[in-house]
Amino acid sequence: MIELKNIDVTFEDKEQTVKAVQEVSLTVEKGDIYGIVGYSGAGKSTLVRTINLLQRPTAGQVIVKNQELSVLSPKELRTARKKIGMIFQHFNLMRARTVAGNVAYPLKGSELTKEEIGQRVDELLELVGLADKKQAYPSQLSGGQKQRVAIARALANDPEVLLCDEATSALDPKTTGSILELLKRLNKKLDLTIVIITHEMQVVKEICNKVAVMDDGRVIESGDLVSVFTAPKAKLTNEFINTATHADQALEKIRKHPSLLDLHANDSLARITYVGESTSTPLIASLYAQFGVTTNILFGNVEILQETPIGNLIVVLNGDKHQRDKAIAYLESKQVKVDLIDTSHTVIPLRRTKIS
Ligand SMILES: Nc1ncnc2c1ncn2[C@@H]1O[C@H](COP(=O)(O)OP(=O)(O)O)[C@@H](O)[C@H]1O
Ligand SMILES: [Mg+2]
C-alpha cells in the first residue's frame, strides 16, 4: 500500500543543515494500523508528510498503491492526495464554519450536487458519532469532538489511507481511548489503512499491529507489534515499552529503595516476560518443585496486544546460585524471557543501606 524507500529529508538554511529523516525504508500493508513512535524531534512529522508529498524527500522514493508520487503531474498528484486523509494534534478546523461546513469543505468542487454533499456530510457525521452537532461551531466542541470532526473531514473523499500526526496528544486519556476506538472501528469497517505517529507507546499498544521506532531521523527498529514488544532490540524501544507497561515505574521504585528488597547473595532480581496463554503460576510453582528456587513477585501485569496476552513480572528469585541458573535456563527453555536486573549501580550499596 505504502512503500517508503531510502527516504532522506534534509533542511538547509544559511546557518545549518538538519537531517530530519535519514535512510528510512518501511512498508505499510493495506489494512495495517502502523505506529511510528519516537521522541519529539525524531523526524516523525517530516516522515509522515512525505507520504502525501506535503514534504518532498531530498532522496528516496514514495510509492503509494504502486504509484511513485514524485513522477506524477500536479493534477495527478492532487487526485492521489484525495485518497490520503490526514489529521493533526490541533485539529486544524475552520473556526468560522459549522461542523457540517468543515466536513463539506473537501467536497467543494467535486462532481457531487449540493444535496449529495449534504447526504455525504450526514453519513460522515453519523460515522464518527456527531450527528447531533451538525450546526455547532468548533468553539462549542470538546477536544474529542473536534478530532471527530477532523476525522469526518479527512474521510470525505473516501480515502484509503489516514495519516494521524499526534492525533490524540492534546486529549485526556479517556478521550484518547474513545478516539483510538473510533480509528480501530474505521480501520475494520472501511478497510482503512492507518499510519499513526505519536510519542506515546501507550497509543501504539492500544491499536497498532505494526510499529517502527524513530530516533534522530532513522528508524532504529520495526516489526509486528507483538514481536517488538516481547523482544525489543534497541535500548530506546525498551524505554518506550517500559513506559507503556508501567514496568519503568516499578523499576524506578526498586532502584530508589533497594534496601526494601533486602537482597542477599542467594537472590537475583529479574524481569520475566512471557507470551501467550501460559500463565506464570505453574512456571513459578515448578521453579520451586524442580529447583528449590522461590519466587517473590514485586510487580506483575498482563497486557493484551493484538489479542495476545503478554505477561511482565519483576521478581526476586531466591536459591543457591547453581539452582538459580538452572531455574533461569528452565524458564528460557519454556520461551520465557529472563533479564537479570543489576542493582549494583544504585547509589548506596545494598548492605550499608540496611545498617544506616
Ligand atoms: N521546515 C523545517 N525546516 C527546518 N527544520 C525542520 C523543518 N521541519 C522540521 N525540522 C527539523 O527536523 C527535525 C525533525 O522534526 P519533526 O519531523 O517535526 O520531528 P517530530 O515530529 O518527530 O517531533 C527537527 O530537528 C526539526 O527541528
Ligand atoms: Mg511531530
Side-chain angles (χ1 to χ4, degrees):
M1 186 83 197
I2 301 168
E3 266 183 280
L4 301 178
K5 290 189 174 169
N6 301 312
I7 301 286
D8 285 344
V9 179
T10 306
F11 296 111
E12 291 196 53
D13 58 29
K14 276 171 242 135
E15 278 119 57
Q16 56 172 355
T17 302
V18 178
K19 293 184 169 179
V21 176
Q22 303 185 63
E23 290 169 52
V24 169
S25 296
L26 57 87
T27 305
V28 180
E29 312 276 357
K30 182 153 183 61
D32 274 348
I33 304 186
Y34 202 117
I36 299 175
V37 67
Y39 289 124
S40 176
K44 307 180 298 295
S45 294
T46 307
L47 180 68
V48 84
R49 285 160 52 83
T50 66
I51 297 177
N52 52 13
L53 284 201
L54 276 179
Q55 175 66 56
R56 282 194 183 259
T58 316
Q61 292 174 301
V62 179
I63 300 163
V64 179
K65 291 185 69 186
N66 298 317
Q67 233 180 5
E68 197 193 330
L69 298 190
S70 67
V71 304
L72 300 181
S73 67
K75 184 159 176 273
E76 288 168 327
L77 182 58
R78 272 199 300 279
T79 310
R81 274 188 182 146
K82 283 195 176 151
K83 294 294 161 194
I84 307 175
M86 190 158 183
I87 59 172
F88 306 89
Q89 178 171 5
H90 297 297
F91 326 120
N92 300 10
L93 300 180
M94 292 171 288
R95 295 156 50 144
R97 287 176 200 261
T98 60
V99 165
N102 270 280
V103 177
Y105 192 78
L107 297 170
K108 277 172 66 160
S110 70
E111 70 275 24
L112 299 183
T113 64
K114 220 175 154 193
E115 286 70 38
E116 285 168 333
I117 291 179
Q119 246 171 26
R120 180 80 185 122
V121 168
D122 288 346
E123 256 170 47
L124 289 161
L125 289 177
E126 190 70 44
L127 189 64
V128 301
L130 274 189
D132 56 332
K133 295 288 180 197
K134 201 174 156 183
Q135 299 308 334
Y137 284 88
S139 61
Q140 299 168 306
L141 303 178
S142 69
Q145 289 170 331
K146 284 181 198 162
Q147 197 56 290
R148 282 169 194 268
V149 176
I151 292 170
R153 181 181 59 182
L155 296 178
N157 280 305
D158 217 2
E160 293 178 47
V161 178
L162 181 65
L163 308 176
C164 311
D165 188 346
E166 301 279 359
T168 57
S169 298
L171 306 174
D172 62 70
K174 189 159 168 252
T175 311
T176 293
S178 75
I179 293 294
L180 295 179
E181 274 305 313
L182 172 62
L183 292 175
K184 207 190 289 184
R185 191 156 58 75
L186 296 172
N187 164 257
K188 291 264 162 0
K189 188 167 172 175
L190 310 175
D191 203 12
L192 183 68
T193 304
I194 300 180
V195 178
I196 290 192
I197 67 178
T198 176
H199 65 283
E200 293 175 300
M201 193 57 132
Q202 186 75 22
V203 166
V204 172
K205 192 185 86 182
E206 291 294 321
I207 66 166
C208 295
N209 64 322
K210 298 207 185 121
V211 60
V213 182
M214 273 190 93
D215 184 27
D216 198 17
R218 297 174 190 274
V219 167
I220 55 165
E221 183 155 8
S222 64
D224 74 86
L225 185 75
V226 175
S227 315
V228 171
F229 254 75
T230 49
K233 294 186 195 83
K235 190 164 165 277
L236 180 65
T237 311
N238 238 315
E239 219 172 281
F240 275 114
I241 291 170
N242 285 344
T243 314
T245 56
H246 304 294
D248 63 335
Q249 287 167 18
L251 282 170
E252 175 77 10
K253 266 188 213 157
I254 290 166
R255 292 214 157 102
K256 269 197 190 134
H257 305 286
S259 60
L260 295 177
L261 291 177
D262 193 19
L263 289 182
H264 294 87
N266 277 344
D267 292 326
S268 314
L269 184 59
R271 169 90 178 267
I272 292 181
T273 315
Y274 56 93
V275 186
E277 298 303 332
S278 73
T279 62
S280 55
T281 323
L283 286 171
I284 284 172
S286 49
L287 293 191
Y288 187 70
Q290 294 192 38
F291 311 104
V293 170
T294 57
T295 308
N296 179 11
I297 300 178
L298 304 174
F299 167 87
N301 87 340
V302 177
E303 302 275 354
I304 310 287
L305 297 183
Q306 300 286 297
E307 271 125 67
T308 308
I310 297 179
N312 242 307
L313 303 175
I314 298 173
V315 300
V316 177
L317 298 172
N318 171 269
D320 174 78
K321 166 96 172 79
H322 184 61
Q323 294 301 99
R324 264 184 292 147
D325 287 347
K326 277 198 196 164
I328 290 169
Y330 170 77
L331 286 173
E332 284 170 343
S333 77
K334 300 284 177 194
Q335 321 310 322
V336 174
K337 192 163 164 266
V338 183
D339 295 302
L340 293 178
I341 301 169
D342 182 11
T343 48
S344 60
H345 66 281
T346 43
V347 191
I348 311 160
L350 293 178
R351 300 285 145 194
R352 233 176 290 156
T353 345
K354 246 190 101 194
I355 300 161
S356 62

